[in-house]
Amino acid sequence: MGFFTKDIKTMEDMFLHGLQDIYYAEHQITKALPKMIDLATNRDLSKGLSSHLEETRKQIERLDSVFKKLGKEPSGTDCPAIDGLIKEADATAGEIADKAVLDAAIVASCQAIEHYEISRYGTLIAWAEELGHDEVVRFLTTNLNEEKAANTKLNTVALRKGVNTKAASAA
Ligand SMILES: [Fe+2]
Ligand SMILES: [Fe+2]
């Protein structure tokens, strides 16, 4: 299914495509996070990312439940947006030698990913409500709230746990 083959005819098709997109994205995130956790030096940052990795695995289980409730097989579809965000995160990290600066870059890359997820879940919830899929809204809302909390935690790590201050004083 893809936008260019015009397989999406109804809003229902589009909703399903959106679910497959975020399903793929969450899987890619579980593959990308361990690398960022390894690279992070700040303890609050690595701990925060580790707990979000666990949350992300649970989010995938919730998406499995969403597909099940809709009577569909869980499946993903290529999401060039998340691939791009992860690729950029890797490329940026590869360019940075200083550990403190790298921590600030990891926060920035992860926040871009969280904002992407927040945007997608927000849309999916609105579409689910419009289409009368009230039985799946709860699962999607839990995921959305976790993404928002993860983003807030990243703000705290950057602004109040020393990540940005240390990065700024790196020679
Ligand atoms: Fe997620
Ligand atoms: Fe997330």
Side-chain angles (χ1 to χ4, degrees):
M1 193 183 272
F3 282 106
F4 303 113
T5 50
K6 306 233 189 264
D7 285 336
I8 297 173
K9 295 191 169 54
T10 63
M11 193 169 189
E12 195 72 50
D13 295 340
M14 192 162 70
F15 175 60
L16 185 64
H17 183 271
L19 285 173
Q20 291 169 339
D21 176 292
I22 195 73
Y23 193 71
Y24 171 86
E26 295 289 15
H27 277 92
Q28 297 311 110
I29 291 165
T30 61
K31 289 183 204 163
L33 273 175
K35 198 174 163 189
M36 301 210 209
I37 293 164
D38 277 351
L39 289 174
T41 306
N42 179 288
R43 279 186 63 82
D44 292 298
L45 176 57
S46 56
K47 267 168 56 187
L49 295 179
S50 296
S51 77
H52 196 52
L53 174 58
E54 283 316 304
E55 278 178 345
T56 302
R57 294 195 174 114
K58 297 254 164 58
Q59 290 174 355
I60 292 173
E61 288 174 18
R62 274 182 219 112
L63 290 174
D64 283 328
S65 303
V66 168
F67 282 108
K68 205 172 158 201
K69 288 217 174 270
L70 296 169
K72 306 281 182 193
E73 264 318 297
S75 68
T77 188
D78 277 0
C79 170
I82 197 70
D83 287 341
L85 288 171
I86 291 170
K87 200 172 157 192
E88 188 185 67
D90 283 344
T92 305
E95 295 290 322
I96 301 172
D98 185 276
K99 286 282 189 189
V101 176
L102 179 56
D103 275 351
I106 292 169
V107 170
S109 298
C110 290
Q111 287 197 290
I113 292 170
E114 295 315 319
H115 278 87
Y116 174 76
E117 294 181 283
I118 289 166
S119 146
R120 287 299 157 112
Y121 280 118
T123 298
L124 286 168
I125 290 164
W127 288 353
E129 283 171 347
E130 189 63 41
L131 292 164
H133 292 308
D134 299 332
E135 74 280 19
V136 306
V137 168
R138 170 170 74 87
F139 295 106
L140 297 173
T141 303
T142 303
N143 284 9
L144 173 64
N145 289 339
E146 286 181 353
E147 311 303 8
K148 284 182 179 171
N151 182 59
T152 302
K153 205 188 269 180
L154 285 162
N155 263 335
T156 305
V157 165
L159 303 173
R160 290 198 268 122
K161 301 284 182 181
V163 165
N164 285 359
T165 309
K166 266 198 171 171
S169 63

